[in-house]
Amino acid sequence: ASGQQLSRGYYSKTCPKVFSTVRSVVKAAVAKEKRMGASLLRLHFHDCFVQGCDGSILLDDTSSFTGEKTALPNNNSVRGFNVVDDIKSKVESVCPGVVSCADILTIAARDSVDILGGPKWDVKVGRRDSRRASLSAANSGVIPPPTSTLSNLINRFQARGLSAKDMVVLSGAHTIGQARCTLFRNRIYNETNIDTSFARTRQANCPRPNGSGDNNLAVLDVKTPTKFDNSYYKNLLNKKGLLHSDQILYNNGSTDSFIESYSKNPKAFANDFVTAMIKMGDISPLTGSNGEIRKNCRRAN
Ligand code: HEM
Ligand SMILES: [Ca+2]
Ligand SMILES: [Ca+2]
Protein backbone atom coordinates (compact mmCIF):
# COMPACT_ATOMS: atom_id res chain seq x y z
CA ALA A 1 0.00 0.00 0.00
CA SER A 2 1.05 3.59 -0.34
CA GLY A 3 1.58 6.02 2.50
CA GLN A 4 4.37 4.00 4.06
CA GLN A 5 7.29 5.96 5.33
CA LEU A 6 10.92 5.88 4.39
CA SER A 7 13.25 5.22 7.30
CA ARG A 8 16.94 5.03 8.10
CA GLY A 9 16.75 1.45 9.28
CA TYR A 10 14.78 0.00 6.39
CA TYR A 11 17.61 -2.35 5.36
CA SER A 12 19.11 -2.98 8.80
CA LYS A 13 18.00 -6.61 8.83
CA THR A 14 17.82 -7.37 5.11
CA CYS A 15 20.98 -5.64 3.91
CA PRO A 16 23.09 -4.24 6.73
CA LYS A 17 26.04 -3.79 4.37
CA VAL A 18 24.22 -1.62 1.85
CA PHE A 19 25.72 1.67 3.03
CA SER A 20 29.32 0.48 3.17
CA THR A 21 28.93 -1.26 -0.19
CA VAL A 22 27.56 1.79 -1.99
CA ARG A 23 30.12 4.03 -0.38
CA SER A 24 33.10 1.95 -1.43
CA VAL A 25 32.06 2.03 -5.10
CA VAL A 26 31.33 5.78 -5.00
CA LYS A 27 34.64 6.39 -3.26
CA ALA A 28 36.55 4.52 -5.95
CA ALA A 29 34.64 6.23 -8.77
CA VAL A 30 35.27 9.71 -7.35
CA ALA A 31 38.92 8.88 -6.71
CA LYS A 32 39.18 8.02 -10.39
CA GLU A 33 37.30 11.10 -11.56
CA LYS A 34 36.19 13.82 -9.15
CA ARG A 35 33.44 15.02 -11.44
CA MET A 36 31.64 11.72 -10.94
CA GLY A 37 30.57 12.93 -7.49
CA ALA A 38 28.78 15.84 -9.14
CA SER A 39 27.24 13.61 -11.77
CA LEU A 40 25.80 11.21 -9.19
CA LEU A 41 24.34 14.07 -7.17
CA ARG A 42 22.64 15.47 -10.24
CA LEU A 43 21.20 12.06 -11.20
CA HIS A 44 19.35 11.95 -7.89
CA PHE A 45 17.91 15.45 -8.49
CA HIS A 46 16.77 14.62 -12.02
CA ASP A 47 15.28 11.33 -10.80
CA CYS A 48 13.29 12.90 -7.97
CA PHE A 49 11.81 15.72 -10.07
CA VAL A 50 10.27 13.36 -12.65
CA GLN A 51 7.72 10.89 -11.21
CA GLY A 52 9.41 11.16 -7.79
CA CYS A 53 12.52 9.38 -6.48
CA ASP A 54 11.77 6.07 -8.17
CA GLY A 55 14.82 5.31 -10.30
CA SER A 56 12.90 6.23 -13.46
CA ILE A 57 15.87 8.12 -14.90
CA LEU A 58 17.90 4.91 -14.96
CA LEU A 59 15.58 2.99 -17.31
CA ASP A 60 16.72 2.44 -20.87
CA ASP A 61 14.17 2.84 -23.66
CA THR A 62 12.04 -0.22 -24.41
CA SER A 63 9.54 -1.19 -27.11
CA SER A 64 6.69 -0.02 -24.86
CA PHE A 65 8.12 3.33 -23.72
CA THR A 66 10.81 5.87 -24.44
CA GLY A 67 12.45 6.79 -21.16
CA GLU A 68 13.98 9.93 -19.70
CA LYS A 69 17.56 9.59 -20.88
CA THR A 70 17.01 11.46 -24.14
CA ALA A 71 14.84 14.18 -22.61
CA LEU A 72 16.10 17.73 -23.10
CA PRO A 73 17.52 18.23 -19.58
CA ASN A 74 19.25 14.81 -19.70
CA ASN A 75 20.38 14.09 -23.24
CA ASN A 76 24.15 14.28 -23.70
CA SER A 77 24.19 15.70 -20.17
CA VAL A 78 23.43 13.35 -17.28
CA ARG A 79 26.09 10.75 -16.67
CA GLY A 80 27.18 8.17 -14.15
CA PHE A 81 24.97 5.28 -15.30
CA ASN A 82 27.91 2.89 -15.43
CA VAL A 83 28.83 3.72 -11.85
CA VAL A 84 25.21 3.07 -10.80
CA ASP A 85 25.38 -0.30 -12.58
CA ASP A 86 28.60 -1.06 -10.75
CA ILE A 87 27.04 -0.15 -7.38
CA LYS A 88 23.96 -2.23 -8.15
CA SER A 89 25.94 -5.33 -9.04
CA LYS A 90 28.03 -5.08 -5.86
CA VAL A 91 24.87 -4.59 -3.78
CA GLU A 92 23.17 -7.52 -5.53
CA SER A 93 26.14 -9.71 -4.68
CA VAL A 94 25.76 -8.98 -0.93
CA CYS A 95 21.94 -9.00 -0.75
CA PRO A 96 20.20 -10.01 -3.95
CA GLY A 97 16.80 -8.56 -4.77
CA VAL A 98 16.59 -6.28 -1.73
CA VAL A 99 17.85 -2.76 -2.44
CA SER A 100 16.14 -0.47 -4.96
CA CYS A 101 17.93 1.54 -7.61
CA ALA A 102 16.10 4.62 -6.34
CA ASP A 103 17.69 4.16 -2.91
CA ILE A 104 21.07 3.58 -4.53
CA LEU A 105 20.81 7.02 -6.14
CA THR A 106 19.91 8.64 -2.81
CA ILE A 107 22.80 6.97 -0.99
CA ALA A 108 25.29 7.66 -3.80
CA ALA A 109 24.31 11.35 -3.85
CA ARG A 110 24.83 11.61 -0.10
CA ASP A 111 28.20 9.84 -0.28
CA SER A 112 29.36 12.04 -3.17
CA VAL A 113 28.76 15.23 -1.19
CA ASP A 114 30.52 13.80 1.84
CA ILE A 115 33.52 12.51 -0.14
CA LEU A 116 34.00 15.91 -1.83
CA GLY A 117 34.17 17.68 1.53
CA GLY A 118 30.53 18.58 2.15
CA PRO A 119 28.22 17.73 5.04
CA LYS A 120 27.33 14.17 6.09
CA TRP A 121 23.82 13.08 6.88
CA ASP A 122 21.68 10.01 7.46
CA VAL A 123 19.47 9.15 4.52
CA LYS A 124 16.05 7.60 4.71
CA VAL A 125 15.57 4.52 2.51
CA GLY A 126 12.79 2.15 1.52
CA ARG A 127 11.97 3.55 -1.92
CA ARG A 128 10.95 1.08 -4.62
CA ASP A 129 11.62 1.30 -8.33
CA SER A 130 9.21 2.36 -11.05
CA ARG A 131 8.40 -0.06 -13.84
CA ARG A 132 8.14 2.72 -16.40
CA ALA A 133 9.61 6.01 -17.43
CA SER A 134 8.26 8.63 -19.78
CA LEU A 135 10.09 10.90 -22.16
CA SER A 136 7.23 13.38 -22.24
CA ALA A 137 7.10 13.57 -18.43
CA ALA A 138 10.80 14.41 -18.36
CA ASN A 139 10.33 16.95 -21.15
CA SER A 140 7.34 18.66 -19.59
CA GLY A 141 9.43 21.35 -17.92
CA VAL A 142 9.42 19.89 -14.42
CA ILE A 143 13.21 20.19 -14.45
CA PRO A 144 13.83 23.90 -14.98
CA PRO A 145 16.15 24.94 -17.82
CA PRO A 146 19.16 27.21 -17.15
CA THR A 147 17.40 30.02 -19.03
CA SER A 148 14.68 30.13 -16.35
CA THR A 149 13.52 33.30 -14.70
CA LEU A 150 13.64 33.46 -10.91
CA SER A 151 9.90 33.02 -10.58
CA ASN A 152 10.07 30.02 -12.90
CA LEU A 153 12.74 28.40 -10.70
CA ILE A 154 10.71 29.11 -7.58
CA ASN A 155 7.55 27.67 -9.16
CA ARG A 156 9.21 24.48 -10.39
CA PHE A 157 10.54 23.71 -6.95
CA GLN A 158 7.27 24.73 -5.30
CA ALA A 159 5.54 22.18 -7.54
CA ARG A 160 7.70 19.53 -5.87
CA GLY A 161 7.02 20.75 -2.34
CA LEU A 162 10.29 22.66 -2.07
CA SER A 163 10.47 26.30 -0.97
CA ALA A 164 12.37 29.16 -2.57
CA LYS A 165 14.95 28.75 0.17
CA ASP A 166 15.26 25.02 -0.62
CA MET A 167 15.74 25.94 -4.28
CA VAL A 168 18.52 28.39 -3.44
CA VAL A 169 20.28 26.00 -1.10
CA LEU A 170 20.00 23.05 -3.51
CA SER A 171 21.42 25.23 -6.29
CA GLY A 172 24.50 25.29 -4.07
CA ALA A 173 25.15 21.83 -5.55
CA HIS A 174 26.71 23.86 -8.38
CA THR A 175 29.70 24.23 -6.07
CA ILE A 176 30.89 21.08 -7.90
CA GLY A 177 30.64 19.81 -11.45
CA GLN A 178 30.70 21.19 -14.96
CA ALA A 179 28.45 22.59 -17.66
CA ARG A 180 28.51 22.72 -21.45
CA CYS A 181 29.19 25.87 -23.42
CA THR A 182 25.83 25.73 -25.20
CA LEU A 183 24.11 26.21 -21.83
CA PHE A 184 26.04 29.31 -20.77
CA ARG A 185 26.99 30.94 -24.11
CA ASN A 186 24.26 33.55 -24.01
CA ARG A 187 25.22 34.48 -20.47
CA ILE A 188 28.92 35.05 -21.15
CA TYR A 189 28.34 37.06 -24.36
CA ASN A 190 25.11 38.92 -23.76
CA GLU A 191 24.45 39.42 -20.08
CA THR A 192 25.53 42.45 -18.10
CA ASN A 193 25.40 41.17 -14.53
CA ILE A 194 28.66 39.28 -15.07
CA ASP A 195 32.23 40.01 -14.05
CA THR A 196 34.04 41.11 -17.23
CA SER A 197 37.24 39.19 -16.73
CA PHE A 198 35.31 36.06 -15.73
CA ALA A 199 33.23 36.37 -18.90
CA ARG A 200 36.37 36.76 -21.01
CA THR A 201 37.98 33.70 -19.45
CA ARG A 202 34.90 31.60 -20.17
CA GLN A 203 34.62 32.99 -23.73
CA ALA A 204 38.10 31.66 -24.47
CA ASN A 205 36.76 28.10 -24.41
CA CYS A 206 33.22 28.79 -25.58
CA PRO A 207 33.17 30.41 -29.03
CA ARG A 208 30.40 32.82 -29.86
CA PRO A 209 28.85 31.19 -32.95
CA ASN A 210 26.08 28.77 -32.06
CA GLY A 211 27.20 25.24 -32.77
CA SER A 212 30.92 25.76 -32.33
CA GLY A 213 32.33 24.27 -29.16
CA ASP A 214 28.85 23.52 -27.82
CA ASN A 215 30.11 20.62 -25.73
CA ASN A 216 33.17 22.39 -24.32
CA LEU A 217 33.03 22.20 -20.56
CA ALA A 218 33.54 24.79 -17.86
CA VAL A 219 33.45 24.33 -14.10
CA LEU A 220 30.34 25.61 -12.37
CA ASP A 221 32.37 26.94 -9.42
CA VAL A 222 35.32 28.99 -10.65
CA LYS A 223 37.06 28.87 -7.24
CA THR A 224 36.78 25.33 -5.86
CA PRO A 225 35.26 23.17 -8.59
CA THR A 226 35.81 19.82 -6.92
CA LYS A 227 35.22 20.80 -3.31
CA PHE A 228 31.75 20.87 -1.81
CA ASP A 229 31.85 24.21 0.02
CA ASN A 230 29.94 27.53 0.00
CA SER A 231 32.13 29.15 -2.64
CA TYR A 232 29.21 29.04 -5.14
CA TYR A 233 27.51 31.81 -3.16
CA LYS A 234 30.66 33.92 -2.96
CA ASN A 235 30.93 33.68 -6.73
CA LEU A 236 27.38 35.00 -7.10
CA LEU A 237 28.23 38.03 -4.95
CA ASN A 238 31.08 38.67 -7.42
CA LYS A 239 28.87 38.16 -10.50
CA LYS A 240 30.73 34.98 -11.35
CA GLY A 241 27.81 32.62 -11.61
CA LEU A 242 28.24 30.46 -14.74
CA LEU A 243 24.61 29.80 -15.63
CA HIS A 244 21.89 32.40 -16.07
CA SER A 245 19.90 30.38 -13.50
CA ASP A 246 22.78 30.74 -11.03
CA GLN A 247 23.27 34.50 -11.24
CA ILE A 248 19.52 35.17 -11.30
CA LEU A 249 19.50 34.06 -7.65
CA TYR A 250 21.52 37.19 -6.83
CA ASN A 251 20.19 39.91 -9.06
CA ASN A 252 18.35 42.40 -6.85
CA GLY A 253 15.53 39.94 -6.25
CA SER A 254 13.78 38.10 -3.45
CA THR A 255 16.53 35.50 -2.99
CA ASP A 256 19.46 37.91 -2.55
CA SER A 257 19.38 37.65 1.24
CA PHE A 258 19.82 33.85 1.12
CA ILE A 259 22.87 34.25 -1.10
CA GLU A 260 24.41 36.82 1.23
CA SER A 261 23.74 34.63 4.23
CA TYR A 262 25.14 31.38 2.73
CA SER A 263 28.21 33.20 1.39
CA LYS A 264 29.07 34.28 4.93
CA ASN A 265 27.91 31.25 6.84
CA PRO A 266 29.13 27.87 5.58
CA LYS A 267 27.50 26.09 8.54
CA ALA A 268 24.08 27.46 7.68
CA PHE A 269 24.59 26.36 4.08
CA ALA A 270 25.63 22.86 5.17
CA ASN A 271 22.68 22.48 7.57
CA ASP A 272 20.08 23.83 5.18
CA PHE A 273 21.51 21.77 2.30
CA VAL A 274 21.07 18.59 4.33
CA THR A 275 17.49 19.51 5.25
CA ALA A 276 16.62 20.25 1.63
CA MET A 277 18.28 17.07 0.30
CA ILE A 278 16.22 14.99 2.72
CA LYS A 279 13.09 16.84 1.57
CA MET A 280 13.99 16.26 -2.07
CA GLY A 281 14.56 12.56 -1.35
CA ASP A 282 11.02 12.37 0.00
CA ILE A 283 9.37 13.36 -3.29
CA SER A 284 6.67 10.78 -4.15
CA PRO A 285 8.49 7.54 -3.35
CA LEU A 286 6.98 4.19 -4.29
CA THR A 287 6.54 2.15 -1.11
CA GLY A 288 4.73 -0.95 0.12
CA SER A 289 3.60 -3.04 -2.82
CA ASN A 290 3.99 -0.25 -5.36
CA GLY A 291 6.80 -0.58 -7.87
CA GLU A 292 9.44 -3.27 -7.55
CA ILE A 293 13.06 -3.92 -6.64
CA ARG A 294 14.77 -3.96 -10.02
CA LYS A 295 17.44 -6.56 -10.64
CA ASN A 296 19.13 -4.36 -13.21
CA CYS A 297 18.76 -0.60 -12.85
CA ARG A 298 18.42 -0.17 -16.62
CA ARG A 299 15.25 -2.26 -16.98
CA ALA A 300 12.11 -3.35 -15.21
CA ASN A 301 12.13 -6.97 -14.05
C1 HEM B 1 17.70 25.39 -9.71
C2 HEM B 1 17.58 24.84 -10.88
C3 HEM B 1 18.70 24.17 -11.61
C4 HEM B 1 19.09 24.41 -12.89
C5 HEM B 1 18.44 25.38 -13.86
C6 HEM B 1 20.22 23.57 -13.15
C7 HEM B 1 20.88 23.50 -14.36
C8 HEM B 1 22.04 22.80 -14.60
C9 HEM B 1 22.73 22.77 -15.86
C10 HEM B 1 22.28 23.49 -17.11
C11 HEM B 1 23.83 22.00 -15.69
C12 HEM B 1 24.87 21.67 -16.76
C13 HEM B 1 24.34 20.54 -17.64
C14 HEM B 1 25.17 20.26 -18.86
O1 HEM B 1 26.20 20.89 -19.07
O2 HEM B 1 24.76 19.41 -19.67
C15 HEM B 1 23.85 21.54 -14.34
C16 HEM B 1 24.81 20.74 -13.78
C17 HEM B 1 24.77 20.28 -12.49
N1 HEM B 1 23.71 20.40 -11.61
FE1 HEM B 1 22.15 21.65 -11.79
N2 HEM B 1 20.52 22.84 -12.04
C18 HEM B 1 19.61 23.17 -11.07
C19 HEM B 1 19.52 22.60 -9.81
C20 HEM B 1 20.35 21.60 -9.35
C21 HEM B 1 20.11 20.83 -8.16
C22 HEM B 1 18.90 20.98 -7.24
C23 HEM B 1 21.14 19.97 -8.02
C24 HEM B 1 21.40 18.93 -6.97
C25 HEM B 1 20.97 19.02 -5.74
C26 HEM B 1 22.03 20.20 -9.15
C27 HEM B 1 23.22 19.58 -9.36
C28 HEM B 1 24.03 19.76 -10.47
C29 HEM B 1 25.38 19.22 -10.56
C30 HEM B 1 26.13 18.51 -9.47
C31 HEM B 1 25.83 19.53 -11.86
C32 HEM B 1 27.15 19.13 -12.49
C33 HEM B 1 27.01 17.72 -13.05
C34 HEM B 1 28.26 17.14 -13.69
O3 HEM B 1 29.31 17.75 -13.69
O4 HEM B 1 28.12 16.02 -14.22
N3 HEM B 1 21.50 21.17 -9.94
N4 HEM B 1 22.73 22.03 -13.69
CA1 LIG C 1 12.00 9.58 -11.09
CA1 LIG D 1 33.17 24.39 -4.58
Side-chain angles (χ1 to χ4, degrees):
S2 59
Q4 296 188 20
Q5 292 292 305
L6 306 178
S7 65
R8 288 182 196 176
Y10 189 83
Y11 295 120
S12 58
K13 294 229 162 61
T14 53
C15 195
K17 287 193 169 154
V18 62
F19 294 115
S20 57
T21 306
V22 175
R23 191 184 164 91
S24 71
V25 181
V26 174
K27 183 116 197 176
V30 175
K32 196 169 153 208
E33 185 204 12
K34 289 212 165 157
R35 185 186 178 194
M36 190 51 68
S39 305
L40 292 170
L41 174 57
R42 186 164 183 245
L43 269 184
H44 181 47
F45 162 49
H46 282 208
D47 182 28
C48 292
F49 266 56
V50 181
Q51 289 184 185
C53 311
D54 61 355
S56 57
I57 193 171
L58 303 174
L59 290 172
D60 287 342
D61 298 347
T62 70
S63 51
S64 59
F65 64 80
T66 305
E68 299 170 14
K69 290 182 177 179
T70 53
L72 214 64
N74 295 337
N75 197 24
N76 193 19
S77 182
V78 287
R79 56 199 293 281
F81 297 111
N82 291 335
V83 174
V84 174
D85 290 342
D86 196 10
I87 297 170
K88 178 64 172 172
S89 72
K90 296 270 178 354
V91 170
E92 285 297 295
S93 71
V94 288
C95 16
V98 170
V99 178
S100 68
C101 299
D103 279 343
I104 284 174
L105 286 182
T106 311
I107 301 166
R110 183 272 307 271
D111 290 342
S112 295
V113 170
D114 176 18
I115 290 164
L116 292 173
K120 306 179 202 299
W121 66 96
D122 288 325
V123 287
K124 292 191 282 177
V125 287
R127 298 167 193 80
R128 291 165 64 84
D129 297 321
S130 70
R131 294 192 174 91
R132 299 183 50 85
S134 145
L135 176 67
S136 61
N139 267 334
S140 65
V142 289
I143 298 170
T147 49
S148 301
T149 61
L150 180 58
S151 57
N152 195 236
L153 293 175
I154 292 172
N155 291 337
R156 301 302 175 164
F157 278 68
Q158 201 95 29
R160 290 291 175 266
L162 298 164
S163 66
K165 178 177 173 176
D166 294 327
M167 184 274 290
V168 170
V169 79
L170 288 171
S171 295
H174 293 173
T175 184
I176 53 174
Q178 304 179 19
R180 290 171 297 144
C181 163
T182 183
L183 299 170
F184 59 82
R185 177 182 286 117
N186 188 62
R187 166 150 175 76
I188 61 172
Y189 287 102
N190 299 327
E191 295 191 350
T192 52
N193 59 350
I194 189 167
D195 177 87
T196 336
S197 86
F198 172 71
R200 239 181 271 128
T201 306
R202 287 293 166 258
Q203 287 166 5
N205 193 40
C206 181
R208 183 164 218 153
N210 283 326
S212 59
D214 278 3
N215 293 325
N216 294 358
L217 293 167
V219 293
L220 283 157
D221 175 356
V222 62
K223 272 269 162 61
T224 57
T226 60
K227 192 174 184 321
F228 196 99
D229 55 10
N230 70 333
S231 144
Y232 171 80
Y233 299 101
K234 298 182 190 172
N235 296 335
L236 297 184
L237 291 187
N238 295 318
K239 302 186 181 178
K240 293 178 181 174
L242 182 65
L243 304 174
H244 171 81
S245 52
D246 292 324
Q247 197 61 54
I248 204 70
L249 304 179
Y250 187 73
N251 195 231
N252 301 309
S254 60
T255 49
D256 283 15
S257 58
F258 295 130
I259 306 303
E260 283 156 10
S261 153
Y262 293 139
S263 71
K264 281 185 263 187
N265 193 342
K267 282 252 161 59
F269 167 55
N271 288 333
D272 292 352
F273 185 81
V274 166
T275 303
M277 283 295 289
I278 293 169
K279 255 172 105 171
M280 187 172 85
D282 272 341
I283 299 174
S284 315
L286 296 170
T287 58
S289 57
N290 294 321
E292 63 181 17
I293 304 298
R294 263 178 232 153
K295 290 189 173 68
N296 176 331
C297 291
R298 293 177 183 265
R299 50 186 166 268
N301 293 341

